[in-house]
Amino acid sequence: MKQQYKIAAATREQTGRSASRRVRKENRVPAVLYGKHTQPETISVDGPEFIRLLKAIGGSSSLVEIERKDKPVALSFIQEVQRDPITDRFLHVDFQEVKADEKMEINVRVVAAGEAYGVKTQNGVLEMPNPYLRIRCLPKDLPSFIEVDVTNIKIGETLHVGALKTISGVEFRDDKNLPVFSCVAPVEEVASATSGGAAAAAPAAGAAAAPAAGAKPAAGAAAPAAAPAKK
């Protein structure tokens, strides 16, 4: 079993907005624990303890043991965290319970390993259109991250899910054609090429509009300004 984290939880008897506000006033975070084989259970966790838990996890996919009074420890992972968009305060947490001997599905963050050839040699930019991938595995096989070697990617090339290196005990659930990393030309070069083409086209358009030597201006056209007399 991979490294697991722990957090103590208390059962919440009352639910609803008013009850949740009272929980937050006590510096706790309302939460729910649910799973495939159990009924959803409303709980709360200590606010500062939950912040320490998130810092320890550091964005990785990790298992969390939820300890409750007079109940068995529940093995879970953090499914969703809701925060206030203004105060950034934690509003609610969803914990999904899993079984040690049963496969689960979870989104895992993708990280790049190495420096892409297109970035190092061709001055390109590495893009990651899908920072999370969906996988299926046993809890013991859950990777903290999905590390992808990008060293061979050149400008104009894209690495898809189907080309990812196999991870023992892990099944990728996303479409094989889903892009994971792409290397593209820098925006400055694209902008320069576009502006250069427009500048080249401008004189040609002006030349076509210029009247032939000795030709009279068309009716309604403004007469050319007279040259100033020499003194």
Side-chain angles (χ1 to χ4, degrees):
M1 184 74 68
K2 64 172 291 183
Q3 181 182 2
Q4 294 171 201
Y5 300 87
K6 298 180 180 181
I7 191 168
T11 300
R12 283 192 297 141
E13 299 296 340
Q14 298 180 331
T15 60
R17 293 184 178 180
S18 297
S20 294
R21 281 196 293 267
R22 288 194 293 271
V23 170
R24 297 188 193 102
K25 285 183 179 179
E26 297 173 357
N27 206 13
R28 299 184 65 82
V29 183
V32 63
L33 172 67
Y34 63 92
K36 186 187 298 185
H37 306 294
T38 57
Q39 292 294 323
E41 180 182 351
T42 53
I43 57 176
S44 68
V45 295
D46 180 74
E49 186 180 357
F50 182 67
I51 293 174
R52 288 192 294 271
L53 173 67
L54 290 183
K55 289 182 178 180
I57 291 175
S60 66
S61 296
S62 301
L63 299 173
V64 180
E65 291 183 343
I66 299 180
E67 300 175 333
R68 299 158 295 170
K69 186 178 180 180
D70 300 330
K71 290 186 178 182
V73 172
L75 184 63
S76 70
F77 63 86
I78 299 174
Q79 177 66 36
E80 183 180 4
V81 177
Q82 296 178 19
R83 305 181 76 160
D84 188 295
I86 299 176
T87 65
D88 208 33
R89 186 180 184 184
F90 292 105
L91 300 177
H92 195 272
V93 185
D94 287 5
F95 292 97
Q96 183 168 336
E97 186 174 5
V98 296
K99 301 298 182 183
D101 59 350
E102 188 172 282
K103 289 188 176 182
M104 62 182 187
E105 287 199 7
I106 183 174
N107 293 325
V108 179
R109 189 155 67 93
V110 179
V111 296
E115 186 175 13
Y117 178 90
V119 175
K120 184 177 181 179
T121 308
Q122 300 173 307
N123 197 33
V125 177
L126 189 67
E127 294 185 344
M128 183 170 54
N130 292 288
Y132 287 87
L133 295 179
R134 189 76 172 172
I135 67 168
R136 186 169 184 264
C137 66
L138 288 171
K140 70 179 182 64
D141 296 323
L142 176 63
S144 299
F145 305 96
I146 297 176
E147 193 173 72
V148 179
D149 184 2
V150 300
T151 53
N152 294 324
I153 303 179
K154 301 178 178 65
I155 284 182
E157 294 182 345
T158 298
L159 186 64
H160 300 86
V161 169
L164 295 182
K165 183 180 178 181
T166 302
I167 303 175
S168 178
V170 173
E171 175 188 353
F172 292 108
R173 303 293 287 170
D174 293 300
D175 189 281
K176 292 183 178 180
N177 295 317
L178 184 75
V180 183
F181 284 102
S182 297
C183 191
V184 299
V187 177
E188 292 79 3
E189 290 186 6
V190 176
S192 298
T194 304
S195 60
K216 295 181 179 180
K230 294 182 180 181
K231 292 184 179 180

